[in-house]
Amino acid sequence: MFAFDNQYVRLPERFWRKVAPTVVKAPRVLAVNGPLADLLGVDAAWLASQAGADALSGNVVPAGADPIALAYAGHQFGGFNPQLGDGRAILLGEIVGKDGLRRDVQLKGSGRTPFSRGGDGRAALGPVLREYVVSEAMFALGIPTTRSLAAVETGETVQREVPLPGAVLTRVARSHVRVGTFQFFAARQDREALEALTTHTLELLYPDTAASVTGASESALALLDRAIAAHAYLVARWMGVGFVHGVMNTDNTSLSGETIDYGPCAFLDEYDPAKRFSSIDHQGRYAFGNQPQIALWNLARLAEALLEVIDPVEDVAAEKVTERLDTFASRFNEAYAEVMRAKLGIPTKDETDNALIADLFERLAGSEVDFTLFFRRLCDVAASEVAPSADLNVAELFAHPGAWYDWAPRWRARLAAERAGGGPSDEQRSAAMRAANPAFIPRNHRIEEMIAAARKGDLAPFQRMNLVLARPYVEQPENADLARAPKREERVTATFCGT
Ligand code: AMP
Ligand code: MG
């Protein structure tokens, strides 16, 4: 059972619509996330039972739930749509977890809502399992993200280009308030709603900040500031693991700074800043290297939506938000440098670091180097002052090994300076690097294989991926096949939203 304690539904009625999930034919539980269930105080064995399947598919609305679809708007690929909203998701309710934090429990794929427009409100098995695996992998990597409590199949088919098995994901998030939620009310010039949403979001997500400000104007500016900090950090972390979100629309930009909406996302195999996977991202707007600037663009849309609340005089408000938005670059650069120094085994700051890092990435791009393997193998190189065989293992990742042999001495000189400064031992450095450079990421080709198997009724690859990816920084020789880069012909080049 769920111990719901619902707040969002207490916000004014124009924030949401009551909606009952659609009943499905034959719900069957495919996965239950034990540790997350435990955190939420929900009995995992119950979730896995038929009663659990009924609740997780929306066939039975559990006691205490207040099922609602949330209203929001959003910029999609740069174009504003004033009317989006949960078209295939229903918020069941909120639970305060054992850690004292409140979280949303949402069914994704549970049928049409008043916001469905032309869509069927459904989700297919593939995208549900994909989101389950990738969101939980992100969590295990230590990157802020929504999570997956369960996946159920519906026993029905959903019609996409071809008929596909249907499924429902139970998504758990600190909040589903997005930049697009603010835009929804700004587009309607609904200042009262903007103020209520600001207060709600600040108190929910940033209670310490909420306690230090008074009034709507201060609250809005403080919320903007916290969102900027959260996204500067989040995107820096994405860049550190080669994550391409793929659809960074403002409706997929959470105020909590959690990664949300695992549609066409993918992890880089070979490093390429221009890399995009999404089949609908024709211009490469959301390419890997564009993500920091897109995050800032999305935050600027949040700022815009809050202008009225911040100051009735537009110029005054604009000046205040600009000052905040201008902090994004330095916050991102700082977070990024910290992420990269950890990856390179450099604990202290030096003004030459940025150049060293930039030089490295130029070489990686020019040599089609597997992003994840490169950094993981670098941990072995760092384990001792000279390590010819570890060196060779890295060099062989490069189409032009000279690029590595040119850069390595610069990096080694930096490590030597660290050593001279009394830094950690080589062994400690290597261990610390292993905690910053995952051996396992959800490889795109493995995800596709996993989905293909699941469609044939074989969940073993799905379960195995979850187990392995729960410990991404731990060497697991028996699972080396999941760490391996795809062969050229195995590379996934396009991903789909799956809507
Ligand atoms: P997304 O691309 O997943 O961020 O979704 C963008 C918008 O389309 C949101 O308002 C979704 O609720 C809506 N949407 C996506 N897929 C469906 C679907 N199958 N049925 C109804 N609405 C959908
Ligand atoms: Mg979305």
Side-chain angles (χ1 to χ4, degrees):
M1 297 288 154
F2 300 95
F4 286 118
D5 173 23
N6 307 330
Q7 279 187 346
Y8 204 82
V9 70
R10 306 235 149 72
L11 288 164
E13 290 200 21
R14 53 201 194 280
F15 282 64
W16 44 260
R17 301 283 180 79
K18 289 214 178 208
V19 51
T22 305
V23 170
V24 300
K25 207 154 79 189
R28 192 172 73 95
V29 178
L30 301 175
V32 167
N33 186 334
L36 181 57
D38 189 54
L39 179 65
L40 296 174
V42 186
D43 179 8
W46 176 76
L47 286 178
S49 72
Q50 193 53 50
D54 288 339
L56 296 167
S57 62
N59 275 13
V60 171
V61 174
D66 284 306
I68 50 175
L70 275 49
Y72 55 85
H75 274 91
Q76 301 182 301
F77 291 92
F80 186 62
N81 188 335
Q83 175 75 52
L84 292 169
D86 286 334
R88 57 161 165 176
I90 295 176
L91 177 64
L92 280 185
E94 299 154 43
I95 297 180
V96 178
K98 289 184 179 162
D99 57 359
L101 295 180
R102 176 178 292 274
R103 289 182 181 81
D104 287 354
V105 178
Q106 188 203 58
L107 301 182
K108 192 170 168 185
S110 54
R112 287 180 55 80
T113 77
F115 304 115
S116 294
R117 297 170 291 158
D120 62 1
R122 306 299 191 135
L125 178 69
V128 164
L129 296 186
R130 190 185 160 80
E131 172 153 357
Y132 192 106
V133 167
V134 183
S135 65
E136 286 302 308
M138 288 293 262
F139 172 75
L141 286 165
I143 299 175
T145 177
T146 64
R147 298 196 60 190
S148 298
L149 178 63
V152 297
E153 65 180 4
T154 59
E156 297 179 1
T157 52
V158 293
Q159 190 56 42
R160 295 296 178 258
E161 270 131 54
V162 291
L164 294 170
V168 178
L169 181 82
T170 306
R171 176 161 80 179
V172 172
R174 286 282 287 120
S175 159
H176 281 91
V177 172
R178 312 130 194 275
V179 170
T181 318
F182 287 87
Q183 292 181 294
F184 180 88
F185 295 113
R188 286 157 183 77
Q189 299 183 321
D190 187 343
R191 187 164 156 189
E192 199 183 275
L194 283 169
E195 292 190 3
L197 184 62
T198 298
T199 308
H200 164 83
T201 309
L202 193 63
E203 284 177 357
L204 172 67
L205 298 174
Y206 307 108
D208 49 332
T209 303
S212 70
V213 295
T214 43
S217 164
E218 271 186 33
S219 296
L221 205 54
L223 181 61
L224 174 66
D225 189 64
R226 294 297 303 253
I228 290 168
H231 282 275
Y233 174 76
L234 178 66
V235 178
R237 294 298 312 272
W238 288 355
M239 304 307 279
V241 293
F243 179 73
V244 186
H245 182 283
V247 58
M248 287 177 72
N249 294 333
T250 58
D251 53 304
N252 295 335
T253 304
S254 169
L255 268 285
S256 67
E258 293 171 295
T259 310
I260 189 169
D261 223 320
Y262 291 86
C265 67
F267 282 73
L268 294 180
D269 292 307
E270 74 286 2
Y271 174 73
D272 174 5
K275 189 75 188 173
R276 62 175 173 92
F277 292 89
S278 170
S279 55
I280 56 168
D281 189 4
H282 304 293
Q283 314 293 320
R285 177 182 170 90
Y286 299 141
F288 179 71
N290 284 356
Q291 296 185 118
Q293 100 193 39
I294 290 292
L296 175 58
W297 192 89
N298 290 342
L299 292 160
R301 305 290 77 75
L302 174 65
E304 243 164 46
L306 289 170
L307 281 176
E308 276 272 317
V309 180
I310 288 169
D311 202 291
V313 183
E314 204 181 315
D315 287 354
V316 176
E319 197 176 318
K320 286 185 180 169
V321 303
T322 303
E323 193 190 300
R324 291 303 195 291
L325 290 168
D326 284 348
T327 66
F328 179 85
S330 60
R331 283 165 148 169
F332 171 76
N333 289 338
E334 188 147 328
Y336 181 77
E338 196 165 311
V339 165
M340 288 305 159
R341 276 199 309 271
K343 290 180 81 66
L344 296 175
I346 303 171
T348 62
K349 278 191 207 179
D350 186 278
E351 56 183 19
T352 63
D353 291 342
N354 288 345
L356 183 73
I357 294 164
D359 182 23
L360 169 64
F361 279 108
E362 232 166 83
R363 290 163 191 275
L364 295 182
S367 262
E368 281 196 65
V369 179
D370 186 84
F371 185 94
T372 306
L373 287 183
F374 170 78
F375 285 103
R376 188 68 181 183
R377 292 189 186 179
L378 205 60
C379 307
D380 297 330
V381 182
S384 57
E385 244 169 283
V386 262
S389 78
D391 238 299
L392 205 60
N393 283 340
V394 174
E396 86 179 19
L397 296 170
F398 283 72
H400 313 287
W404 159 248
Y405 286 113
D406 281 347
W407 180 81
R410 294 186 58 192
W411 173 59
R412 284 212 166 85
R414 184 69 184 82
L415 297 191
E418 288 286 321
R419 260 185 228 107
S425 70
D426 289 332
E427 211 169 294
Q428 286 167 333
R429 179 190 328 283
S430 183
M433 286 172 70
R434 269 176 228 284
N437 294 306
F440 297 95
I441 52 155
R443 294 269 181 189
N444 308 315
H445 64 300
R446 296 300 186 190
I447 291 176
E448 308 267 307
E449 271 174 24
M450 173 278 283
I451 291 172
R455 282 202 195 121
K456 292 190 198 127
D458 178 10
L459 285 175
F462 167 71
Q463 288 155 351
R464 179 170 175 240
M465 277 189 99
N466 286 324
L467 278 176
V468 173
L469 290 165
R471 298 184 303 146
Y473 298 104
V474 178
E475 208 60 44
Q476 304 173 48
E478 67 285 12
N479 295 309
D481 58 310
L482 293 185
R484 180 174 70 67
K487 298 188 186 110
R488 189 167 286 272
E489 66 275 15
E490 290 174 327
R491 277 186 196 167
V492 173
T493 53
T495 54
F496 304 89
C497 276
T499 49

